Amino acid sequence: EPIDTIEGCMDAPTFLKEYVHKHKPVLMKGCGFEMPATTKWTDEYFMSFPDVRSWTPIVETQKTISRNDRGPHIFNMTFEEFLGRYKDDPYYVINSVNNERLRRD
Protein backbone atom coordinates (compact mmCIF):
# COMPACT_ATOMS: atom_id res chain seq x y z
CA GLU A 1 0.00 0.00 0.00
CA PRO A 2 1.46 3.41 -0.92
CA ILE A 3 2.35 5.86 1.84
CA ASP A 4 0.42 9.14 1.90
CA THR A 5 2.64 12.14 1.18
CA ILE A 6 1.80 15.75 1.99
CA GLU A 7 3.75 18.98 1.66
CA GLY A 8 4.37 20.69 5.00
CA CYS A 9 2.73 19.86 8.32
CA MET A 10 -0.81 19.00 9.33
CA ASP A 11 -2.60 19.94 12.50
CA ALA A 12 -2.23 17.59 15.46
CA PRO A 13 -5.89 16.45 15.66
CA THR A 14 -5.89 15.42 11.99
CA PHE A 15 -2.54 13.66 12.34
CA LEU A 16 -3.76 11.72 15.36
CA LYS A 17 -7.14 10.82 13.86
CA GLU A 18 -6.04 9.93 10.33
CA TYR A 19 -2.63 8.39 10.96
CA VAL A 20 -1.62 7.66 14.55
CA HIS A 21 -4.89 6.03 15.64
CA LYS A 22 -5.08 4.08 12.38
CA HIS A 23 -1.41 3.02 12.58
CA LYS A 24 -0.99 4.45 9.09
CA PRO A 25 2.31 5.98 7.94
CA VAL A 26 2.50 9.41 6.36
CA LEU A 27 5.38 11.40 4.88
CA MET A 28 5.25 15.13 5.64
CA LYS A 29 7.74 16.74 3.28
CA GLY A 30 9.29 19.95 4.59
CA CYS A 31 7.38 19.81 7.86
CA GLY A 32 10.52 20.14 9.98
CA PHE A 33 11.38 23.45 8.36
CA GLU A 34 8.08 24.90 9.57
CA MET A 35 8.97 24.27 13.21
CA PRO A 36 10.42 27.27 15.08
CA ALA A 37 13.08 25.12 16.76
CA THR A 38 14.96 24.69 13.45
CA THR A 39 16.06 28.33 13.58
CA LYS A 40 15.53 29.19 17.24
CA TRP A 41 17.66 26.46 18.86
CA THR A 42 21.12 27.97 18.76
CA ASP A 43 23.91 27.69 21.32
CA GLU A 44 23.18 31.28 22.36
CA TYR A 45 19.51 30.46 22.88
CA PHE A 46 20.36 27.46 25.06
CA MET A 47 22.84 29.57 27.05
CA SER A 48 19.97 31.92 27.97
CA PHE A 49 18.38 29.19 30.13
CA PRO A 50 18.99 29.66 33.85
CA ASP A 51 19.68 25.95 34.44
CA VAL A 52 22.31 25.58 31.69
CA ARG A 53 25.09 25.59 34.32
CA SER A 54 23.43 23.02 36.61
CA TRP A 55 21.75 20.55 34.24
CA THR A 56 23.92 17.49 33.60
CA PRO A 57 22.54 15.60 30.61
CA ILE A 58 23.70 12.15 29.53
CA VAL A 59 26.38 12.73 26.90
CA GLU A 60 27.50 10.05 24.47
CA THR A 61 31.08 10.20 23.29
CA GLN A 62 30.60 8.60 19.87
CA LYS A 63 28.57 10.20 17.11
CA THR A 64 28.77 7.02 15.05
CA ILE A 65 27.83 3.65 16.45
CA SER A 66 29.32 0.51 14.95
CA ARG A 67 27.70 -1.94 17.35
CA ASN A 68 24.74 -2.04 19.69
CA ASP A 69 26.72 -0.47 22.52
CA ARG A 70 25.90 3.18 23.04
CA GLY A 71 28.72 3.99 25.45
CA PRO A 72 30.83 5.29 26.84
CA HIS A 73 28.79 8.04 28.45
CA ILE A 74 29.65 11.15 30.41
CA PHE A 75 27.33 11.81 33.34
CA ASN A 76 28.99 14.78 35.03
CA MET A 77 29.27 17.33 32.21
CA THR A 78 27.01 20.37 32.50
CA PHE A 79 25.03 21.44 29.46
CA GLU A 80 27.10 24.63 29.39
CA GLU A 81 30.29 22.54 29.12
CA PHE A 82 28.68 20.39 26.43
CA LEU A 83 27.83 23.48 24.36
CA GLY A 84 31.45 24.53 24.53
CA ARG A 85 32.75 21.15 23.34
CA TYR A 86 30.34 19.35 21.01
CA LYS A 87 31.58 21.05 17.83
CA ASP A 88 35.15 19.83 18.41
CA ASP A 89 34.50 16.51 20.16
CA PRO A 90 32.27 13.61 19.00
CA TYR A 91 29.71 14.30 21.75
CA TYR A 92 25.95 14.46 21.69
CA VAL A 93 23.16 14.61 24.26
CA ILE A 94 20.71 11.70 24.47
CA ASN A 95 18.19 13.09 26.97
CA SER A 96 14.59 13.79 26.10
CA VAL A 97 13.36 17.38 26.13
CA ASN A 98 11.75 17.96 29.52
CA ASN A 99 11.86 21.75 29.49
CA GLU A 100 8.42 23.28 28.85
CA ARG A 101 9.99 26.28 27.08
CA LEU A 102 11.69 23.96 24.57
CA ARG A 103 8.55 21.90 24.06
CA ARG A 104 6.71 25.06 22.95
CA ASP A 105 9.39 25.71 20.34
Side-chain angles (χ1 to χ4, degrees), residues 59-90:
V59 177
E60 286 193 353
T61 60
Q62 301 177 62
K63 286 188 178 178
T64 57
I65 298 171
S66 59
R67 59 189 190 285
N68 197 17
D69 177 9
R70 299 204 50 159
H73 299 99
I74 300 173
F75 294 97
N76 60 352
M77 180 184 289
T78 67
F79 192 57
E80 179 181 39
E81 291 171 312
F82 170 81
L83 290 174
R85 294 184 62 179
Y86 80 97
K87 291 179 183 174
D88 298 319
D89 294 319

Side-chain angles (χ1 to χ4, degrees), residues 33-104:
F33 295 113
E34 295 180 22
M35 297 179 183
T38 59
T39 56
K40 197 172 186 179
W41 286 13
T42 63
D43 292 354
E44 293 76 23
Y45 178 68
F46 289 129
M47 288 298 288
S48 73
F49 284 69
D51 62 347
V52 73
R53 288 171 183 83
S54 61
W55 180 49
T56 54
I58 300 171
V59 177
E60 286 193 353
T61 60
Q62 301 177 62
K63 286 188 178 178
T64 57
I65 298 171
S66 59
R67 59 189 190 285
N68 197 17
D69 177 9
R70 299 204 50 159
H73 299 99
I74 300 173
F75 294 97
N76 60 352
M77 180 184 289
T78 67
F79 192 57
E80 179 181 39
E81 291 171 312
F82 170 81
L83 290 174
R85 294 184 62 179
Y86 80 97
K87 291 179 183 174
D88 298 319
D89 294 319
Y91 296 166
Y92 64 101
V93 170
I94 60 171
N95 291 68
S96 60
V97 175
N98 292 323
N99 184 297
E100 208 44 51
R101 183 172 156 195
L102 292 176
R103 287 179 186 263
R104 287 192 303 267

